[in-house]
Amino acid sequence: MQVKCLIICLGLGLLMLSTGPVCEARRARGRGRTKSRVQIGLPITGKYRDPESDQYYNNNNGAKILQASHFDLEYVLGHKIAFLCVAKGNPRPHITWYKDGAEIYQHLYMHVHEWTIGDDRVKSKIEIDPATQMDAGLYECTADNMYSIDRRSFKTDFSIAFD
């Protein structure tokens, strides 16, 4: 007599199949695999029905982030953390910083520096010194001009240094 066994464990992503008395386990494919063109933090591009819309939305002068800090940063409490964002576009893009979805502004322990580079680039840097537990979260720099918006996200969490 053959025993068929099918066990699916969603938490671990395991799929167990067997035609005998002992089940074999193998890892199932995760849910995260999609063929969608929409990705968080990346601009949406594509063909549009009419040429005017296509030319507007796929404009070469649109804001584009050329350089950005690492996506995931673990910082030490009491030390300085910094994020960098360099963007290009014509007209020159404007960079705005966000933390956990809310726009952030300069204050005593957080400084925002901005430099223009030529006619079409801007460099923005945010520094937090000293970093506290409240500074952990999701930071985002957004570059925008009249043609497009581009954004990059930076996830931060803290660690405690023992001296």
Side-chain angles (χ1 to χ4, degrees):
M1 178 174 115
Q2 280 192 339
V3 178
K4 290 192 177 181
C5 177
L6 173 64
I7 300 172
I8 300 174
C9 180
L10 295 175
L12 298 175
L14 292 177
L15 176 64
M16 299 177 80
L17 296 169
S18 178
T19 55
V22 179
C23 288
E24 295 177 15
R26 66 180 177 161
R27 187 162 292 278
R29 202 162 118 181
R31 292 188 199 179
R33 294 185 180 247
T34 63
K35 296 202 176 195
S36 173
R37 296 184 70 175
V38 178
Q39 294 180 357
I40 295 173
L42 296 177
I44 299 171
T45 59
K47 291 288 184 185
Y48 294 88
R49 289 186 182 172
D50 61 292
E52 292 169 351
S53 294
D54 188 54
Q55 184 178 6
Y56 177 81
Y57 288 109
N58 292 320
N59 192 311
N60 290 334
N61 293 325
K64 178 153 179 63
I65 295 176
L66 304 173
Q67 182 181 4
S69 296
H70 296 289
F71 175 76
D72 201 359
L73 175 73
E74 186 173 289
Y75 63 90
V76 179
L77 292 176
H79 289 219
K80 183 191 320 190
I81 56 176
F83 298 109
L84 178 71
C85 200
V86 178
K88 177 183 180 179
N90 189 7
R92 181 185 303 120
H94 175 347
I95 293 179
T96 307
W97 289 95
Y98 297 89
K99 179 181 183 276
D100 298 328
E103 187 173 347
I104 55 176
Y105 300 96
Q106 186 164 289
H107 60 74
L108 184 60
Y109 302 110
M110 181 181 299
H111 301 282
V112 179
H113 308 282
E114 195 166 278
W115 303 269
T116 56
I117 305 168
D119 293 334
D120 61 349
R121 295 180 192 221
V122 62
K123 176 179 178 179
S124 184
K125 181 179 181 180
I126 187 168
E127 293 180 325
I128 303 167
D129 191 18
T132 66
Q133 293 175 351
M134 296 296 293
D135 296 318
L138 185 67
Y139 289 83
E140 183 175 76
C141 84
T142 302
D144 67 281
N145 67 6
M146 63 188 288
Y147 296 113
S148 69
I149 299 172
D150 195 6
R151 66 178 64 118
R152 294 294 182 274
S153 298
F154 318 104
K155 182 181 167 191
T156 62
D157 203 357
F158 62 89
S159 64
I160 301 170
F162 297 101
D163 294 332

